[in-house]
Amino acid sequence: MKSPVHSSQRHFASYLWACFGTLLLVAAAFMFYVWTEKRIDEANELRYNSHNLVDELRQSSDDLSRMARTYVITGEPQYRKNFQEIVEIREGRAPRPSNYENVYWDLVLGNGQRPRKVGVTVPLMQLMRESRFAPEELALLAAAKNESDKLVGLEIAAMDMRAAGGDVQRAIAMLHDETYHRGKADIMRPIGEVNDSVDRRTRLLVTETEVDANLARFSFMFSAIVLVLLVWRAKRQLDASLGCSVDQLQTVMERLGRGDFSEPLKVASNAQDSVWGWLAHTQQGLARLDAERKEALERTQRLSRLYSALSQCNQAIVRSHSEAELFERICRDVVTYGGMAMAWIGLIDREHDRISVAAAYGGGVEYLDDLEVSLDSSVPHGRGPIGLSYQSGQPYWCQDYQHAAETAHWHGHGARYGWASSAAIPLRRDGEIIGFFAPYSSAVNAFDHEVRELLLEMTLDIEFALKNFDRETIRQQADQRVQYLAHYDVLTGLPNRSQLHERARLLLEQARSRRTPMALMMLDLDHFKDINDSLGHTVGDALLSELALRLTSCLRDGDMVARLGGDEFIFVMRNVNSAETSDIARKLLDLTGQSYTVGLHDLKVSASIGIAMYPEDGLDVETLLQRADAAMYQVKRAGRHDFRFFTAAMQQRAARHLQVVNALRYALEREQMHVVYQPQVSLKTGRIIGAEALLRWNTPELGAVSPAEFIPAAEESGLIVPIGEWVLRQAVRQARTWLDAGLPPLVMAVNLSAIQFRTANLPSQVAQVLYEEGLPPEYLELELTEGVAVQDPQGAIATMNQLHDRGIRMSIDDFGTGFSSLSHLKKFKVYKLKIDQSFVRDISTDSEDKAIVSAIINMARSLGLTTIAEGVETVEQLEFLREQSCDEIQGYHISKPLRPADFEALLSKQRD
């Protein structure tokens, strides 16, 4: 396809370049003209500035004369000041006022107020030299300035005469005589000559520049006319090259841009080689390409419909949440997007060995209501496309539905609904056929190779979706299990800690909004660990499950019970007061105390209940739980099998207990503990034969804390083990120190708590301390309470035997206050009984205490055991014990517990 002729292109390009060159010429002429005008403005400005400076010299001379004459006549000092200021401004010794060349001193008021602000300080002659005066003009101005300075001297002389009180008339005459006027004329004459010279010089410059300006105007106008002519010629050439107007060209190009190629362009004979002619040829080519594109588009659309159905099926797989929904979408999309007449999906009914319709869409689906399709090949409706596909395990394609023998049973339905071909494609799950996908088409031979591949791929996608549904079902079941485990106790089915907090907060908000009371109860089984330890956790778990059923049965609507963990249960009771809560607590205790049959075991348990009331005891769940827990532990300490309400005293005790426990954790590290020693004396010899190591604790925050307070706290928190080990080492080391110092040998008694005693490595640990500190074992005595054998008598006996085998002595502390039996005492490898001070305190006055002490001493003597009485504080107590043949005593009557140095001094005194 040829474009417009090259000659037209070259002509048009030449005109464009000519226009561009002429435009540059016009711009240059215009710039030259502007430059000449600027030179004229500069010449006029030079004339104006020169006249201003010359006039300033003249004006200053006149102002000086006026100020001098006024002063001479009036004697007003202000005029002489003004005179002096005029001179200083002209000489550059004072700043020049703004716009000084304009009227200034005529506007100065009598109070000296100035009409304008001051500016820079510069001499008048310097300004003249900077203003481009000609040399001869500067000479004349300098002469005028000199004459003015002479006249200033004359004026100053006249003013001095007036100031000195001389002849005023003579002073006035000095400023008005012929000499003064001649001096004035000598000033004005050069000034006039300078003005004439400036006018001539600047006028000549303006005249010369105006010639250049006229030349620039002519050049500009001429080049502008040439530019207009060239533009006109270029327009003519452009029209010839286009072959049409610009509007016609724009309209046609817009139409072609919209893809409208239907109307051919009419080209004149003389415009064949123009742009219009070239565009006409292009339009014809585009019309041909558009026709080819439409044909290809129709072919592509036919193919895309097939794949659109597959795409929609894939979307259905993604969006569907169940098999039924998926099957409905698949059937609808195959008909709507795939061009099928009808489609249905049937699932195998194994019980009746037939196909049941799961989903259908399209024309003729009503026939499926009475459809009979069997998998039994012995019956006619079992030998159709679906039956043949089931028997072969492969898809079956019926390309001529109305004439195929296998569809003879359904020819009537096919003719009615216009079905010309059909297919039966097996659906599999885990490799087993579970149903069939059956599409119907209104065209014979509709299932060509591409359609078959499409339908088979669609079937594979359906089978993949079925697997995903199976996996999703398994996942949902797992999620439900996880959710259940997250909020409910596995053993009892009761809400767990998480669910408790969530629901308790909701009940608390309801109580707050309705302004009703609420109770939170914590129930803990007493000695439940014994059941787990003796009968096993299986029995314990069964008991907890039975208990949970009982507790749930007594709940009101809206109340809740949760298992907090272990054997702890939490009750949240709505809208109950203290009295009602007490009744509920008693009912729960009675219900818990009823017997349980677990396997072969008949069991009974008791419970302790702590109660916190809203809003008296707390405004949030955490606070109520904490305070119910504190109340429950008070029940535990008081003997169990009861309930208590929380009180402020409990809170104080709990806070004190927490403070003590927290401080205990750092007591050894911060060296806040120390050991004191109380002497033990033999009643036979009166000499110190032993010492009991007693722990003391002082803290900056709590001060001195009683052992009766911090020892139980250490046992409950588990800190008693490291503390006890530290005390044992300190006592053994001190005993070794006293031996090394040459003091008499003595037995060091160290108390062991039941928790320490139950540690598995106690014998080896004690032996290790004795070995490391170098103390013979016969100098160490371990004081044990009777309670060490309550839980595990045989284990206690075994531990005592191991200690005894290592040569370590043992005694029973606080004898008579525990619960051990005499049969256990007989088996214990102990050599001494310590009579508790509660019996010793009143033996002087209480006959029962006397009898008890006497019985203990006699029993110990019969068993071959030594007795020691603690807490001896009076002579009467000492004498009674001596009468009863008690072996040893200790107490404040002998000495209070002493620091090591004081105890050593006591031993030294006894030796001396």
Side-chain angles (χ1 to χ4, degrees), residues 414-429:
R416 178 182 177 185
Y417 298 113
W419 298 333
S421 57
S422 69
I425 308 171
L427 293 176
R428 288 178 170 83
R429 173 179 277 158

Side-chain angles (χ1 to χ4, degrees), residues 346-576:
L347 299 178
I348 296 176
D349 183 355
R350 298 290 181 185
E351 182 179 355
H352 301 93
D353 201 26
R354 62 186 298 273
I355 300 297
S356 59
V357 179
Y361 189 83
V365 295
E366 57 271 16
Y367 115 94
L368 298 174
D369 295 339
D370 300 323
L371 177 67
E372 291 184 8
V373 177
S374 175
L375 299 178
D376 186 0
S377 60
S378 63
V379 297
H381 49 272
R383 294 191 293 270
I386 289 180
L388 295 174
S389 175
Y390 178 76
Q391 294 162 17
S392 65
Q394 299 295 324
Y396 188 86
W397 313 99
C398 181
Q399 299 287 16
D400 190 354
Y401 192 88
Q402 292 299 322
H403 300 91
E406 62 270 20
T407 59
H409 187 72
W410 300 279
H411 281 173
H413 293 292
R416 178 182 177 185
Y417 298 113
W419 298 333
S421 57
S422 69
I425 308 171
L427 293 176
R428 288 178 170 83
R429 173 179 277 158
D430 297 330
E432 180 183 0
I433 297 177
I434 62 166
F436 293 90
F437 175 38
Y440 291 72
S441 175
S442 58
V444 178
N445 297 320
F447 300 101
D448 56 16
H449 178 71
E450 290 183 344
V451 176
R452 291 184 185 187
E453 293 297 324
L454 168 71
L455 293 175
L456 290 176
E457 184 176 354
M458 189 181 301
T459 303
L460 291 176
D461 291 343
I462 296 173
E463 293 175 353
F464 175 77
L466 295 179
K467 292 181 181 178
N468 283 342
F469 285 137
D470 293 341
R471 285 193 290 266
E472 180 63 19
T473 300
I474 295 173
R475 187 192 64 80
Q476 289 178 356
Q477 292 174 351
D479 288 346
Q480 292 174 358
R481 180 63 176 169
V482 169
Q483 284 294 108
Y484 180 82
L485 294 177
H487 294 89
Y488 292 90
D489 178 55
V490 179
L491 176 63
T492 63
L494 297 177
N496 60 9
R497 181 185 296 269
S498 174
Q499 184 76 343
L500 166 66
H501 281 268
E502 183 178 338
R503 291 179 57 184
R505 288 192 187 97
L506 179 61
L507 293 175
L508 198 63
E509 287 297 326
Q510 293 176 355
R512 184 179 292 114
S513 62
R514 297 171 184 173
R515 297 186 177 181
T516 56
M518 190 178 81
L520 189 146
M521 296 192 292
M522 179 177 289
L523 182 149
D524 185 87
L525 297 181
D526 300 329
H527 302 299
F528 181 73
K529 185 176 182 298
D530 296 342
I531 295 178
N532 281 335
D533 292 344
S534 58
L535 302 179
H537 287 275
T538 301
V539 175
D541 290 347
L543 189 149
L544 289 176
S545 299
E546 175 64 25
L547 176 62
L549 293 176
R550 294 185 186 182
L551 298 179
T552 306
S553 65
C554 70
L555 287 180
R556 305 175 306 169
D557 291 339
D559 296 341
M560 72 169 295
V561 58
R563 184 187 180 200
L564 198 61
D567 57 345
E568 285 186 340
F569 296 86
I570 302 298
F571 294 84
V572 181
M573 319 296 290
R574 300 180 306 110
N575 197 19
V576 290

Side-chain angles (χ1 to χ4, degrees), residues 37-245:
E37 289 295 334
K38 187 175 181 182
R39 287 191 61 194
I40 294 173
D41 293 340
E42 289 177 352
N44 291 328
E45 185 178 0
L46 178 62
R47 179 193 304 159
Y48 175 76
N49 291 336
S50 299
H51 282 312
N52 281 343
L53 292 174
V54 173
D55 287 344
E56 183 179 341
L57 178 59
R58 178 191 58 77
Q59 183 65 38
S60 66
S61 179
D62 290 344
D63 289 339
L64 289 170
S65 298
R66 182 162 53 86
M67 293 300 172
R69 289 172 176 171
T70 305
Y71 174 73
V72 170
I73 293 173
T74 63
E76 180 63 38
Q78 183 62 42
Y79 293 105
R80 182 158 189 174
K81 291 180 181 179
N82 292 345
F83 179 92
Q84 185 62 33
E85 187 175 352
I86 293 170
V87 173
E88 290 179 351
I89 291 173
R90 190 169 70 178
E91 296 300 328
R93 294 192 295 270
R96 290 167 53 84
S98 300
N99 198 15
Y100 189 55
E101 66 276 5
N102 201 352
V103 177
Y104 182 79
W105 290 105
D106 290 334
L107 302 178
V108 176
L109 302 177
N111 58 3
Q113 184 176 357
R114 300 296 188 265
R116 288 186 289 275
K117 296 180 180 179
V118 298
V120 298
T121 302
V122 58
L124 179 59
M125 287 306 299
Q126 180 178 340
L127 291 176
M128 290 178 176
R129 285 191 291 272
E130 294 173 354
S131 298
R132 294 191 296 173
F133 281 100
E136 59 274 13
E137 293 171 348
L138 286 174
L140 291 172
L141 290 172
K145 172 66 168 52
N146 291 334
E147 292 299 329
S148 178
D149 290 342
K150 294 178 183 179
L151 200 60
V152 167
L154 181 61
E155 290 166 344
I156 291 174
M159 288 190 292
D160 289 343
M161 182 180 297
R162 176 67 171 83
D167 189 354
V168 176
Q169 294 301 324
R170 182 181 176 189
I172 293 173
M174 289 175 64
L175 299 178
H176 290 82
D177 59 11
E178 181 179 357
T179 302
Y180 185 82
H181 286 290
R182 188 165 47 252
K184 204 66 162 173
D186 292 339
I187 296 172
M188 299 304 168
R189 189 180 304 109
I191 290 176
E193 293 176 2
V194 170
N195 283 331
D196 293 341
S197 175
V198 169
D199 288 340
R200 287 193 303 273
R201 178 165 52 84
T202 55
R203 191 178 296 110
L204 178 61
L205 180 59
V206 170
T207 302
E208 293 174 352
T209 307
E210 285 178 347
V211 175
D212 295 336
N214 291 332
L215 177 60
R217 290 191 191 97
F218 174 76
S219 300
F220 174 73
M221 294 174 63
F222 177 76
S223 57
I225 293 171
V226 172
L227 178 61
V228 171
L229 291 175
L230 288 174
V231 171
W232 178 74
R233 288 294 298 168
K235 174 64 170 58
R236 292 290 301 275
Q237 187 62 39
L238 177 62
D239 291 340
S241 299
L242 294 177
C244 64
S245 67

